[in-house]
Amino acid sequence: MFRIGFNLWDIFKQLDPDRTYTIPETKFLSVLNGPLRQLIGLEEEEILSVSNLFKKPDGYVTYDQFCQLIHDYRPPAETMEEMEREDPYTVNKNLTKREERMLYEILTDIAVNVTKKRLVLRPFFQDYEMIKKNNGVITKTTFFKVLDFMGARLEKHRLDVLVKRYMRDNYSIKYNAFLKELDEVFDYLEKNNYSDGTGQLWDPSNIPLFEKAPLRGPEVGLRQVFLPNWREKNKVDPREVEMIITKIRDHVLRNKIRMRDFYEEYDPGETDRVDENDFIMGLRWLAYGRVNTVNLYLNPKEVDLLIYLYSDPVYPERKLWKVLEDDVEDSNIYIAHI
């Protein structure tokens, strides 16, 4: 091939104007069975074997793998889409909030399993790596096999989330990107004291969710309303917010109510977060949910303000019920501002 001066990249890319790096098998065979057949010296059965080697389940042939194997190089990306696809660490960020939460739940669960088994993952992926060019790509089928070996037996909808996140194309996965984000979860577990210096969990029975970041901060809950740069200070009087929290606090203490008795039922993953509807239901339960107690009245404006103040900065549709409970139970929170 090199002696006769043909560049297969140039030939196949003419048949692939969209740069998917896959073409129908008929086109692939037409190239090798055409004028090149006499030059490359392959029989028809051998050409079919080559085609089958690089053929996907949908009948398309991945000519980029074939060309890389022959020429030992890959031409530079021509578009931004190609650059992102070929970057081994670029991931699909177009996940819904629900998919993103599920992704980090999956990564956390995998991280815990890997820690228990003391596995070093990269060699397992490299053993199956496509073309052995260290390009960080393996087939979806192989990716699933490695996950199964790791003990991560996931339902189809969870596997679909991983594929959507790390997919290079319709049949291959960027395992380098997967391992990079998994390492970030390992770091999170260690920095937040879920694990020791060796990566072992302090409490193996307590499997945290990666979503559960430290909640207390000046930008969340009651504390934010007293900040000089609070963006709503011209619309909402901080004292009004303080009065709402004080009213709830007095009601809770007088009637010996624990907010967690309601919210923990709707937060089985112990993320300290619930959906907005559950957050509102918890406020209603707090106000009217007990017999032989004086009802607590929260008007719609007060409820809307609480929904706003206790929204998760990362996932606004999720509400930080634990921060609300802490603000209600902590009377010292007001002292610095009175």
Side-chain angles (χ1 to χ4, degrees):
M1 186 63 65
F2 300 108
R3 291 196 304 270
I4 58 181
F6 274 95
N7 188 322
L8 290 171
W9 283 110
D10 295 337
I11 298 173
F12 285 116
K13 287 172 74 173
Q14 290 181 18
L15 303 176
D16 178 30
D18 295 331
R19 294 297 183 269
T20 63
Y21 294 101
T22 61
I23 57 175
E25 185 180 24
T26 53
K27 290 186 177 181
F28 184 82
L29 293 175
S30 68
V31 171
L32 299 187
N33 273 321
L36 288 180
R37 181 173 176 180
Q38 297 299 323
L39 298 174
I40 61 179
L42 293 180
E43 299 295 333
E44 185 174 350
E45 293 79 6
E46 294 174 316
I47 292 175
L48 284 173
S49 296
V50 171
S51 177
N52 288 332
L53 183 62
F54 296 98
K55 185 166 63 175
K56 301 190 301 175
D58 61 4
Y60 277 65
V61 176
T62 56
Y63 72 83
D64 61 333
Q65 297 178 47
F66 173 67
C67 291
Q68 282 189 76
L69 190 62
I70 298 298
H71 294 292
D72 197 29
Y73 88 98
R74 183 183 186 86
E78 300 173 2
T79 65
M80 182 61 69
E81 289 77 10
E82 283 187 72
M83 292 176 64
E84 290 182 352
R85 186 177 62 185
E86 298 311 318
D87 183 345
Y89 296 103
T90 299
V91 296
N92 177 16
K93 297 181 180 179
N94 296 321
L95 271 62
T96 66
K97 295 297 184 183
R98 181 182 181 85
E99 288 172 334
E100 197 167 84
R101 286 198 301 272
M102 187 181 298
L103 170 71
Y104 290 122
E105 290 175 10
I106 296 168
L107 291 177
T108 302
D109 187 53
I110 292 174
V112 170
N113 276 304
V114 169
T115 299
K116 287 180 180 178
K117 296 182 179 181
R118 300 178 180 270
L119 295 177
V120 179
L121 298 182
R122 190 172 298 277
F124 292 104
F125 289 106
Q126 289 176 332
D127 284 345
Y128 290 102
E129 192 170 19
M130 296 163 62
I131 317 181
K132 306 299 182 183
K133 296 291 184 181
N134 196 31
N135 59 355
V137 175
I138 57 175
T139 65
K140 285 196 294 188
T141 301
T142 299
F143 183 70
F144 296 156
K145 287 181 179 178
V146 176
L147 290 180
D148 186 70
F149 171 79
M150 290 159 47
R153 295 173 175 83
L154 305 174
E155 300 93 336
K156 182 180 182 302
H157 68 282
R158 290 179 173 264
L159 288 174
D160 289 342
V161 170
L162 289 179
V163 170
K164 184 176 180 180
R165 179 69 163 183
Y166 304 112
M167 180 174 64
R168 175 182 177 268
D169 49 42
N170 289 334
Y171 75 102
S172 60
I173 298 291
K174 296 180 178 180
Y175 76 80
N176 273 335
F178 167 73
L179 292 178
K180 178 178 180 292
E181 294 199 333
L182 193 61
D183 284 341
E184 292 172 357
V185 174
F186 278 119
D187 291 341
Y188 170 84
L189 295 176
E190 183 176 349
K191 289 177 181 177
N192 290 277
N193 297 319
Y194 284 113
S195 63
D196 59 23
T198 66
Q200 299 297 302
L201 292 178
W202 291 111
D203 180 6
S205 65
N206 178 26
I207 299 179
L209 293 179
F210 185 66
E211 178 193 20
K212 187 174 180 179
L215 298 178
R216 174 55 63 204
E219 76 286 356
V220 178
L222 178 60
R223 285 174 170 81
Q224 67 180 303
V225 305
F226 293 101
L227 295 175
N229 60 345
W230 188 46
R231 58 184 178 275
E232 299 292 343
K233 65 180 180 180
N234 295 326
K235 299 179 182 179
V236 179
D237 184 354
R239 300 295 172 177
E240 178 184 354
V241 179
E242 186 176 346
M243 288 177 61
I244 298 172
I245 299 298
T246 301
K247 180 167 63 172
I248 296 175
R249 178 174 177 270
D250 291 343
H251 177 75
V252 166
L253 292 176
R254 183 170 57 250
N255 295 288
K256 298 180 180 180
I257 298 173
R258 296 195 316 167
M259 300 178 70
R260 67 185 60 191
D261 289 343
F262 175 87
Y263 284 119
E264 285 181 346
E265 182 179 349
Y266 293 88
D267 183 22
E270 299 181 0
T271 65
D272 297 345
R273 299 159 169 82
V274 292
D275 292 334
E276 183 173 316
N277 287 338
D278 294 333
F279 185 78
I280 295 172
M281 287 176 58
L283 295 177
R284 291 175 179 168
W285 173 87
L286 184 70
Y288 311 112
R290 289 196 166 219
V291 180
N292 300 324
T293 61
V294 177
N295 289 337
L296 167 69
Y297 177 69
L298 295 173
N299 63 49
K301 179 183 177 182
E302 292 173 329
V303 172
D304 288 342
L305 187 55
L306 290 173
I307 291 172
Y308 170 75
L309 289 175
Y310 293 94
S311 294
D312 187 325
V314 179
Y315 305 105
E317 77 278 11
R318 302 272 278 170
K319 309 305 168 184
L320 305 173
W321 71 264
K322 188 63 172 63
V323 177
L324 173 61
E325 182 186 60
D326 291 345
D327 287 349
V328 168
E329 293 181 354
D330 185 5
S331 60
N332 294 324
I333 193 173
Y334 317 119
I335 294 176
H337 310 292
I338 296 177

